[in-house]
């Protein structure tokens, strides 16, 4: 069974920084892509940042230049460094990974971590 566990959310003042972490565990054969999504109150879930196994990244326009996605050395961990945070970044952030096990291939999600940007 595959699990994704996020950590690092919390309350931060505007202009501050947070670093989210997500670790994948279980019977994983390979991880093809990882990313971060968020869902703000009253809004649909949106892609924040994505990272392919080849190292290509993509970001939502609203976070370009402020957020950075990266992979850990163990390759089963993904980070989201969030700088210059704004109140509109307040949301539940979810880790996503496209994972292949010995029997299936599909998208897996973490449970979400709350990020609140407020003074």
């Amino acid at each position: 069974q595959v699990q994704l566990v996020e950590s690092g959310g919390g309350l931060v003042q505007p202009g501050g920084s947070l670093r989210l972490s997500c670790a994948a565990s279980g019977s994983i054969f390979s991880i093809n892509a990882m990313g971060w999504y968020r869902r703000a109150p009253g809004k649909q879930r949106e892609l924040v940042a994505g990272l392919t196994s080849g190292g290509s990244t993509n970001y939502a326009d609203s976070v370009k230049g402020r957020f950075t996605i990266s992979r850990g050395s163990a390759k089963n961990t993904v980070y989201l460094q969030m700088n210059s945070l704004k109140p509109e970044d307040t949301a539940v952030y979810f880790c996503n990974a496209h994972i292949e096990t010995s029997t299936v291939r599909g998208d897996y999600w973490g449970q979400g971590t709350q990020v609140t940007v407020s003074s």
Side-chain angles (χ1 to χ4, degrees):
Q1 186 174 356
V2 174
Q3 282 189 321
L4 299 181
V5 178
E6 301 114 332
S7 61
L11 173 64
V12 64
Q13 292 186 341
S17 298
L18 282 176
R19 189 192 196 208
L20 305 183
S21 300
C22 172
S25 63
S27 302
I28 298 171
F29 178 71
S30 66
I31 300 177
N32 300 316
M34 301 185 83
W36 290 94
Y37 288 73
R38 68 186 180 188
R39 185 173 65 234
K43 295 186 177 181
Q44 292 187 332
R45 185 175 61 193
E46 63 173 349
L47 173 68
V48 177
L51 176 63
T52 70
S53 58
S56 298
T57 59
N58 63 293
Y59 296 92
D61 288 343
S62 60
V63 307
K64 284 180 181 176
R66 300 187 298 120
F67 291 11
T68 303
I69 188 170
S70 62
R71 198 92 169 249
S73 58
K75 303 300 182 185
N76 68 326
T77 303
V78 65
Y79 304 100
L80 185 67
Q81 178 65 44
M82 305 185 293
N83 298 328
S84 303
L85 283 160
K86 303 175 181 180
E88 51 263 43
D89 294 318
T90 296
V92 179
Y93 285 70
F94 298 90
C95 176
N96 168 268
H98 189 75
I99 293 173
E100 183 176 356
T101 70
S102 61
T103 57
V104 298
R105 180 186 303 171
D107 283 317
Y108 292 83
W109 294 88
Q111 80 285 355
T113 185
Q114 177 71 46
V115 171
T116 302
V117 184
S118 175
S119 55

